Amino acid sequence: MLILVLLHVLVATAVLAGARRAPLAGAVAGIVVLGATAVMAVVEGVGASTPRTESWDWVPELGLSLAIRLDGFGVVMVLVVSVIGVLVLGYSASYFDRDDTYVRFVGLFEA
C-alpha cells in the first residue's frame, strides 16, 4: 500500500517537473495511478477476513509511527476518490488548454 502512496508522489513530482512538453502524458499517468489504486483496493480489501494494516516507525524515540489500514469503509472511500479522480482528469484533458496551468493542475491534483 505504501508503494501506491509513493507512486502518487512520484507521478505528481514528475508531472510538475518535466511534463511541460507533453501535458497529456501527465494526465494519462495520473489516470493510470488512480486506476491502479482502485484495483489494489478491490484486490486487497474486498473479501478480506481482517483489515490489511501496514505500519512503519517514523520517530521511534517518541513512539510515533505511520500506519495505513484498509478495511471495508476504506475500500469504499478509495474507490469513490479514485473513480472521481479518473473522471476529473479525463474531463480536464478536454477542457483545459495545454499550457502551464494544465500541467500545474494535473501535478497538484495527483499529489
Side-chain angles (χ1 to χ4, degrees):
M1 288 189 300
L2 181 65
I3 299 294
L4 283 174
V5 173
L6 294 175
L7 190 59
H8 280 272
V9 173
L10 179 69
V11 167
T13 304
V15 168
L16 288 172
R20 303 222 185 272
R21 285 179 243 134
L24 193 58
V28 170
I31 289 172
V32 168
V33 170
L34 287 169
T37 303
V39 169
M40 185 278 310
V42 170
V43 169
E44 295 288 331
V46 174
S49 59
T50 59
R52 175 146 184 224
T53 305
E54 294 182 11
S55 180
W56 301 272
D57 288 333
W58 182 36
V59 183
E61 298 83 23
L62 298 176
L64 298 176
S65 63
L66 174 67
I68 299 175
R69 179 177 181 193
L70 186 64
D71 57 357
F73 182 70
V75 170
V76 171
M77 292 309 296
V78 166
L79 287 175
V80 166
V81 170
S82 295
V83 168
I84 290 173
V86 166
L87 293 174
V88 167
L89 284 176
Y91 177 74
S92 70
S94 64
Y95 182 76
F96 281 105
D97 291 330
R98 302 299 189 277
D99 58 0
D100 288 341
T101 58
Y102 179 66
V103 172
R104 186 174 53 239
F105 166 76
V106 170
L108 294 176
F109 186 81
E110 188 61 34

